[in-house]
Amino acid sequence: MGYQIAYLDIYGNAGILAEEISGILHGAELVNLSKQEISDDANSYLLVFEITQNAIPLKIMDILENLEGKTILCFVACGMAFFEKKENVEHNLLPFLPDECDYRGLFFCPGQIPSSVMDTIQEALDENPENKQAQAMLEAFQHAKNHPDAEDFRELRRFIQESGI
């Protein structure tokens, strides 16, 4: 098997990215990590996931550690991408990569923040309009509102092409 696209959804952003990748890499197996496990017979693994609070999901950490000798690309959606930096996310990811793998990089884009989070932000601002953390969250929410978007998908396609897989 050539490629396996494995995604772990929290807010729906990883699923959107995984479907887009699947459309680019016709014939790649698509695996929803919430429902099934990856196989060990692919040559290349495209791991798609969302991060919250700059934390790599445990499931992704476990999977990465078992991909020795494989080609790995990571795709991350983050609702707080307005404030997060790709380099910080990648720095947190690198310790979980096997020593013997062909890591091709990380694609990073904004992802939508659920409206339930917006409700909590609005409540905090109603209580205290000067709440700096709530103001920052509101700014991030507004920035991420329509992501992943067409520009994110163009960058995604470019990243895959440049990765050489």
Side-chain angles (χ1 to χ4, degrees):
M1 178 193 312
Y3 308 110
Q4 189 168 97
I5 304 163
Y7 68 98
L8 184 62
D9 243 350
I10 297 172
Y11 302 124
N13 299 305
I16 292 168
L17 289 176
E19 288 291 335
E20 188 71 18
I21 296 166
S22 180
I24 295 167
L25 298 174
H26 302 287
E29 182 183 2
L30 191 59
V31 176
N32 180 342
L33 294 170
S34 298
K35 298 177 181 176
Q36 62 192 112
E37 298 295 321
I38 64 169
S39 65
D40 60 0
D41 58 347
N43 297 322
S44 300
Y45 290 86
L46 294 85
L47 301 178
V48 188
F49 55 96
E50 301 167 32
I51 61 166
T52 57
Q53 300 176 346
N54 203 20
I56 308 300
L58 290 173
K59 180 106 178 165
I60 298 299
M61 291 178 201
D62 290 341
I63 288 170
L64 283 169
E65 291 177 342
N66 293 308
L67 295 179
E68 191 163 328
K70 305 295 184 175
T71 298
I72 302 169
L73 286 90
C74 293
F75 302 82
V76 175
C78 177
M80 295 299 289
F82 189 65
F83 299 105
E84 282 297 341
K85 291 188 182 339
K86 173 186 172 184
E87 295 79 20
N88 293 344
V89 174
E90 194 162 37
H91 176 77
N92 291 338
L93 179 73
L94 292 176
F96 301 100
L97 291 170
D99 291 335
E100 298 297 322
C101 76
D102 180 9
Y103 174 63
R104 302 273 177 100
L106 178 123
F107 175 80
F108 184 73
C109 77
Q112 292 184 31
I113 299 172
S115 59
S116 60
V117 173
M118 181 57 196
D119 295 342
T120 303
I121 294 167
Q122 193 58 56
E123 288 174 17
L125 287 172
D126 289 346
E127 288 178 20
N128 178 8
E130 301 300 316
N131 182 326
K132 298 292 185 204
Q133 183 178 9
Q135 289 173 353
M137 291 286 294
L138 177 62
E139 189 174 357
F141 181 86
Q142 291 168 338
H143 174 74
K145 197 175 199 174
N146 297 312
H147 288 274
D149 63 10
E151 180 61 27
D152 296 323
F153 294 146
R154 279 191 291 281
E155 291 298 318
L156 175 75
R157 183 173 294 279
R158 183 176 305 130
F159 175 76
I160 290 171
Q161 290 170 343
E162 291 175 358
S163 75
I165 62 163

